[in-house]
Amino acid sequence: MRGLIIRQPWIDLILSGKKTWEMRTKATNVRGVIALIRAKSGLIFGTARLVGSRAPLGQRDYMSHRDKHAIPDAMLEEVIENGWVHPWVLDQIRALSRPVPYMHPSGAVTFVNLDPSVVAAVKSGGPVANSSAATDYPASATSYSRPSEKIDVEPTATPPSTPEVRTDNNGPTFVFRPEEAQAFGRPLPDGRFLVLKDSTAMRSGSPNVKRDAYDRDRLVREGVLVPEGGNRYRFTRDHAFSSSSKAAGIIKDGNASGPSLWKHVGSGRSLKDCEALGSGVAQ
């Protein structure tokens, strides 16, 4: 079995049944059941049957098949200009109850030939027996969501886990409210930023570049973030991020400038302004 590497948000749209055409820059002769790999995650999230590769679409064809490719009208000019005009037709789409890890070979950017043990796990929906596949990857490797022919290769290094820090009720508290989410946190003396338990984060935000997608997936797997109805996650415990921007990016589901976006709950000043004025002014 081969695995097809698909970027966000397109793979989630496929797995939710909202997209049956995966748009590519060239036709393919591959047919049959394939695994669906979320780009830069090292994980297989589902399977589908690749049944055909249609002729390239023009703008009129694109607009008449919105229900199949799920690409917004605002992006049509961009995707056509970049050559994403070949529909790969999928059916029998199935989301796995649990993502299955695999070892990503160096240089693979479209398809991956999967090991028999991984194929068996995908078919059974269970873990890979005695698997050495890495499941976490460096944050610098994630930057995607709009179609692009330049797909970086997933690295295989496993980063250290982010330390958990208990709330100590010391220092000024800041709030960040992107879209439907609301999060509270505070800067730590060592430069990290602590997001407090019961803060919420967007499950799917509006920005196009999602640098911190890998970290969000890891926090979901570790149970730090859990679904909370609608389009939100909830923090089950306090969690320290490497910076206020990293925390804001996870919460927003998109690149974010933490020093400007975190606002002091009392004064309304940004974290950046509070740090310039001194913590006493912030409080």
Side-chain angles (χ1 to χ4, degrees), residues 124-168:
S124 67
V128 181
N130 301 319
S131 172
S132 60
T135 58
D136 287 329
Y137 300 95
S140 61
T142 59
S143 176
Y144 53 85
S145 81
R146 285 197 180 221
S148 171
E149 191 67 11
K150 298 178 181 179
I151 301 178
D152 298 328
V153 177
E154 284 92 335
T156 56
T158 303
S161 58
T162 305
E164 181 183 342
V165 179
R166 300 296 301 170
T167 305
D168 56 12

Side-chain angles (χ1 to χ4, degrees), residues 1-7 22-37 39 44 48-53 86-90 102-115 149 151-154:
M1 179 186 289
R2 294 184 178 184
L4 176 62
I5 303 166
I6 307 174
R7 295 187 172 199
E22 169 63 4
M23 303 306 298
R24 295 282 165 157
T25 59
K26 61 182 69 174
T28 181
N29 293 322
V30 175
R31 298 291 185 271
V33 177
I34 59 172
L36 304 178
I37 297 170
I44 298 165
R49 190 168 62 116
L50 180 50
V51 297
S53 179
H86 291 267
W88 293 8
V89 182
L90 305 174
Y102 74 100
M103 184 63 72
H104 191 91
S106 176
V109 296
T110 303
F111 283 107
V112 173
N113 291 320
L114 301 174
D115 290 337
E149 191 67 11
I151 301 178
D152 298 328
V153 177
E154 284 92 335

Side-chain angles (χ1 to χ4, degrees), residues 32 39 41 55 61 111 132 141 157-158 170 174 176 182 187 197 233 235 276:
S41 73
D61 296 323
F111 283 107
S132 60
T158 303
N170 293 323
F174 293 80
F176 175 40
Q182 177 174 264
K197 178 183 177 181
Y233 286 118
F235 282 80

Side-chain angles (χ1 to χ4, degrees), residues 174-178 193 243-249 252 255-264 268-276:
F174 293 80
V175 63
F176 175 40
R177 297 186 178 96
F193 192 88
S243 67
S244 62
S245 292
K246 170 70 74 173
K252 181 182 178 181
N255 291 0
S257 174
S260 300
L261 294 172
W262 288 99
K263 306 293 184 180
H264 183 253
R269 293 189 181 98
S270 69
L271 175 60
K272 179 179 180 180
D273 289 341
C274 289
E275 289 176 339

